[in-house]
Amino acid sequence: MKITVVAGGVGGARFLLGVKAFLGWDPTGPAPADADDEITAIVNTADDIRLHNLHVSPDLDSCLYATAGIADTERGWGRADETWTVSAELKDYGAEAPWFALGDKDIATHLMRTRMLDAGFPLSAVTEALCAHWQPGVRLLPMTDDRVETHVVVADPDHVAGAGGGSNEYDDVPGEGPSLDPRTVIGSADEPPLVAIHFQEWWIKHQAALQPLAITPIGADLASPAPGVVDAIDAADVILIAPSNPVVSVGTVLAVGGIREALSAARAPVVGVSPIIAGHPVRGHADACLRAIGVDCSAQGVAAHYGARTAGGLLDAFLIADGDGATIDGMRIGHAPLMMRDPQATAQMVAAALDLVDVHR
Amino acid sequence: MKITVVAGGVGGARFLLGVKAFLGWDPTGPAPADADDEITAIVNTADDIRLHNLHVSPDLDSCLYATAGIADTERGWGRADETWTVSAELKDYGAEAPWFALGDKDIATHLMRTRMLDAGFPLSAVTEALCAHWQPGVRLLPMTDDRVETHVVVADPDHVAGAGGGSNEYDDVPGEGPSLDPRTVIGSADEPPLVAIHFQEWWIKHQAALQPLAITPIGADLASPAPGVVDAIDAADVILIAPSNPVVSVGTVLAVGGIREALSAARAPVVGVSPIIAGHPVRGHADACLRAIGVDCSAQGVAAHYGARTAGGLLDAFLIADGDGATIDGMRIGHAPLMMRDPQATAQMVAAALDLVDVHR
């Protein structure tokens, strides 16, 4: 059986452990040598970021580290038995983004990735090399080899109220030229100007506490699916949309030119798993993201947002939590406990999702 | 008083501690706020190397770490209280040059340097920024902002004797195309071919045990002195040649176009300190380097190699160890204990060197 999963970071990683467990595999080890089954994950790369000249791919790494059994399961992200010497030193140097913690083992991965990228290898080839090294059992594909970066439009958090009629505080420094602030400034009234900041600045530095006025995966419309992505969709026996963030994880994958079309045309059924339980995201800041795009933070809201495939949407079926409700024409709705407490519990979710579309091993 | 020092790595660093102590400064702290004196070091950069996409400047860092009081004085190189997580992980990845140890704190410096270089700042500006951060008390100047890399020609250590008539072992793999080995291969007889390897590969990986047939600072002839270098020579009250390796440290600085000429024209006396005591280098592999260029490993050999400034050479005076001898027309020879046991002992060497040319505070 070929299972293709659309996945984001931590939630996607946990879901993949469950898919492996569903197949009877070691969730944190390589695939069995005689495995007939295949798991392919199409992973969001729109929250990738270059920091200190290192190309960081948080979602790919979350999926890799978890499925290879080298993740810190307590902290929920990054490597187990991690040290933090480099980050502490960089902070002391006054380097950029001290709010983005990079462990030392993690940095080694970024050094390898960046070196390969700078040598001309596409991200998909780098990811293949990392998978060959770590043997996560799952084939991890970046959604695209092209640069896509989610930016979030917010009111400038650094704006000094009443500091003048200029568009932002930089205008108030006499004799200064145009601002070198890399953030895009929109508007010029007395109100705080709008700025577009990198997803990670919004998500990590500001903990998604700034109201997002727009969330845009810059470059997605010009991006092509990475090699293998469309094939993995075409060849799948079932396609699962992990309970990842519908906006900044699944939404960005769908925004890459050609992926939504491939999913629409797939012979396999497409089943989503709700990331919202009882009106709350299981983790992360999906509520703020959904609000930004005008979607209700509920199983029904996400179901309607994804839409039924028969009506031009994404899903044939949607698995929601016991106690939640959703009704969408053309979309089968199933219920199951959705807390991914451990790989076995998550395997039950996977089984329920496949049952919904009558796919069996 | 303005003291300008031509320096290599570990030996140069220790010598700089002595120069600071000679002026009554804290050897491992910033210069006194009211200091009238100035110390400028022109530091070898020909053993710089890019590893894992990081620009490593071993000699600049040795000088910086030592004079800023953050060096590991036991080990003799690198940062104090260092950790090694990244290197261990990179080795596990099979990354290049596992023989070149990079500590985690050290890597943070390289990340900062590389980021600034890749953003377009010259190495001299990067070094100035690092000095502004660490306050080593000494003005550290790279010898050049241009790329100069010492390469060493050796018989290929990987050559398999009798493996065929080809020029190296790569030819013996049926069906393989041209070798992708980055090393330059010279010659094609039955004997091991000659290859040119990076200085660090020869020095660290092979511990200078391969006979060097040539040692060449590639690019030096096309390089220009970094900003400040010629000024520091012109403005100096005395110029000291540290007891660094005469070939791969001092020799490479002198090979940069214009530096030898500036030293030759300087109004200040130029005093060298012998790196050879009783026929042996105090540290490192200066004996192998001197042999490669046909210079006897002795105080006399180095004195003759440097030559008297009055005869078109480098030195007005040369300080050699008690018990050693040297005679060169036009070069004053002085004797002193030359073991740099601590900054105070080294300060005595500096005092003796200045005495030799009648320079006094």
Side-chain angles (χ1 to χ4, degrees):
Chain A
M1 174 185 285
K2 290 183 173 163
I3 303 178
T4 295
V5 183
V6 172
V10 176
R14 286 200 195 163
F15 190 69
L16 289 171
L17 298 181
V19 178
K20 291 173 77 178
F22 167 76
L23 293 175
W25 300 0
D26 173 5
T28 56
D34 59 350
D36 286 330
D37 303 310
E38 282 177 30
I39 306 169
T40 302
I42 302 167
V43 182
N44 171 50
T45 60
D47 50 5
D48 284 20
I49 188 167
R50 275 240 173 187
L51 291 173
H52 324 295
N53 253 6
L54 299 172
H55 186 104
V56 183
S57 295
D59 284 5
L60 279 169
D61 287 344
S62 287
C63 289
L64 176 64
Y65 295 164
T67 51
I70 55 172
D72 187 308
T73 49
E74 289 276 310
R75 192 172 53 241
W77 54 271
R79 295 284 304 272
D81 304 316
E82 186 58 285
T83 63
W84 305 89
T85 303
V86 177
S87 271
E89 195 72 13
L90 287 172
K91 196 170 186 174
D92 191 45
Y93 269 124
E96 65 181 336
W99 39 266
F100 198 96
L102 292 171
D104 296 328
K105 290 185 180 181
D106 199 32
I107 282 175
T109 302
H110 307 324
L111 282 167
M112 295 299 289
R113 175 186 293 116
T114 307
R115 182 149 192 254
M116 288 187 72
L117 288 172
D118 288 355
F121 291 95
L123 183 59
S124 53
V126 177
T127 306
E128 192 178 352
L130 289 172
C131 286
H133 179 76
W134 289 114
Q135 296 288 320
V138 174
R139 187 164 165 238
L140 298 175
L141 300 177
M143 65 186 196
T144 181
D145 281 334
D146 300 321
R147 182 172 174 180
V148 178
E149 255 182 31
T150 298
H151 279 67
V152 182
V153 176
V154 296
D156 187 352
D158 298 328
H159 179 69
V160 180
S167 64
N168 67 26
E169 78 273 28
Y170 297 95
D171 294 339
D172 302 324
V173 183
E176 284 223 343
S179 165
L180 291 173
D181 190 332
R183 300 175 302 174
T184 308
V185 177
I186 302 164
S188 61
D190 282 338
E191 299 186 5
L194 304 184
V195 293
I197 61 179
H198 190 286
F199 169 75
Q200 297 292 358
E201 187 176 348
W202 180 69
W203 188 263
I204 305 286
K205 182 181 177 188
H206 296 293
Q207 291 289 306
L210 303 175
Q211 188 191 346
L213 302 172
I215 299 177
T216 308
I218 308 287
D221 52 336
L222 300 170
S224 304
V229 166
V230 171
D231 286 347
I233 293 170
D234 289 347
D237 294 305
V238 64
I239 298 165
L240 300 173
I241 310 297
S244 297
N245 189 306
V247 184
V248 296
S249 295
V250 176
T252 48
V253 174
L254 298 178
V256 172
I259 291 187
R260 187 181 274 279
E261 291 72 9
L263 288 166
S264 179
R267 66 173 178 81
V270 181
V271 190
V273 178
S274 177
I276 308 296
I277 300 178
H280 297 287
V282 177
R283 75 189 62 74
H285 312 292
D287 43 354
C289 297
L290 289 168
R291 201 181 310 125
I293 63 167
V295 171
D296 188 49
C297 184
S298 64
Q300 173 68 34
V302 175
H305 172 62
Y306 281 153
R309 198 149 71 127
T310 50
L314 176 69
L315 300 180
D316 296 301
F318 196 43
L319 190 66
I320 65 177
D322 291 328
D324 277 338
T327 309
I328 301 288
D329 279 351
M331 189 186 297
R332 288 185 233 175
I333 302 293
H335 287 85
L338 292 192
M339 294 302 290
M340 299 188 283
R341 287 201 178 80
D342 55 53
Q344 293 309 324
T346 310
Q348 297 302 316
M349 289 166 52
V350 174
L354 268 61
D355 273 348
L356 255 185
V357 289
D358 297 318
V359 172
H360 303 284
R361 293 187 72 198
Chain B
M1 174 186 283
K2 291 183 173 163
I3 303 177
T4 296
V5 183
V6 172
V10 176
R14 286 199 195 164
F15 190 69
L16 289 171
L17 298 180
V19 178
K20 291 173 78 179
F22 167 76
L23 293 175
W25 300 0
D26 173 5
T28 56
D34 60 348
D36 287 330
D37 303 311
E38 282 177 30
I39 307 169
T40 303
I42 301 167
V43 182
N44 171 51
T45 60
D47 50 5
D48 284 20
I49 188 167
R50 275 239 172 187
L51 291 173
H52 323 296
N53 253 7
L54 299 172
H55 186 104
V56 183
S57 294
D59 285 4
L60 279 170
D61 286 344
S62 288
C63 289
L64 176 65
Y65 294 164
T67 51
I70 55 172
D72 188 307
T73 50
E74 288 276 310
R75 192 172 54 240
W77 55 271
R79 294 283 304 273
D81 304 316
E82 187 59 286
T83 62
W84 306 89
T85 304
V86 177
S87 270
E89 194 73 12
L90 287 171
K91 196 169 185 173
D92 191 45
Y93 269 124
E96 64 181 336
W99 39 266
F100 198 96
L102 291 171
D104 296 328
K105 291 184 179 181
D106 200 31
I107 283 175
T109 303
H110 307 324
L111 282 166
M112 294 299 289
R113 175 186 292 117
T114 308
R115 181 149 192 252
M116 287 187 72
L117 289 172
D118 288 355
F121 291 95
L123 184 60
S124 53
V126 176
T127 306
E128 192 178 351
L130 289 172
C131 286
H133 180 76
W134 289 113
Q135 295 289 320
V138 174
R139 187 164 164 239
L140 298 175
L141 300 177
M143 66 185 195
T144 181
D145 282 334
D146 300 320
R147 182 173 173 179
V148 178
E149 254 182 32
T150 299
H151 279 68
V152 182
V153 176
V154 295
D156 187 352
D158 298 327
H159 179 70
V160 180
S167 63
N168 67 25
E169 77 272 29
Y170 298 95
D171 295 339
D172 302 324
V173 183
E176 284 224 343
S179 165
L180 291 174
D181 190 333
R183 302 174 302 176
T184 309
V185 178
I186 302 164
S188 61
D190 282 339
E191 300 188 2
L194 304 183
V195 293
I197 60 179
H198 190 285
F199 168 75
Q200 297 293 359
E201 186 175 350
W202 180 68
W203 188 263
I204 305 285
K205 181 180 177 188
H206 296 293
Q207 291 289 307
L210 304 175
Q211 188 190 347
L213 303 171
I215 299 178
T216 309
I218 308 287
D221 52 336
L222 300 170
S224 304
V229 166
V230 170
D231 286 347
I233 293 169
D234 290 348
D237 295 305
V238 65
I239 297 164
L240 300 174
I241 311 296
S244 298
N245 190 306
V247 184
V248 296
S249 295
V250 176
T252 48
V253 175
L254 299 177
V256 172
I259 291 185
R260 188 182 274 280
E261 292 71 10
L263 288 167
S264 179
R267 65 173 179 81
V270 181
V271 191
V273 177
S274 177
I276 308 297
I277 301 179
H280 296 287
V282 178
R283 76 190 60 72
H285 313 290
D287 43 353
C289 296
L290 289 168
R291 201 181 310 124
I293 62 167
V295 171
D296 189 49
C297 184
S298 65
Q300 173 68 34
V302 175
H305 172 62
Y306 282 153
R309 199 149 72 126
T310 51
L314 177 68
L315 300 180
D316 296 301
F318 196 43
L319 191 67
I320 64 176
D322 291 329
D324 277 337
T327 309
I328 301 288
D329 280 349
M331 190 186 297
R332 288 185 234 176
I333 302 292
H335 287 85
L338 292 192
M339 293 302 291
M340 299 189 283
R341 285 200 180 80
D342 55 54
Q344 293 308 325
T346 310
Q348 297 302 315
M349 290 166 51
V350 174
L354 268 61
D355 272 348
L356 254 184
V357 289
D358 297 319
V359 172
H360 303 284
R361 292 187 75 197

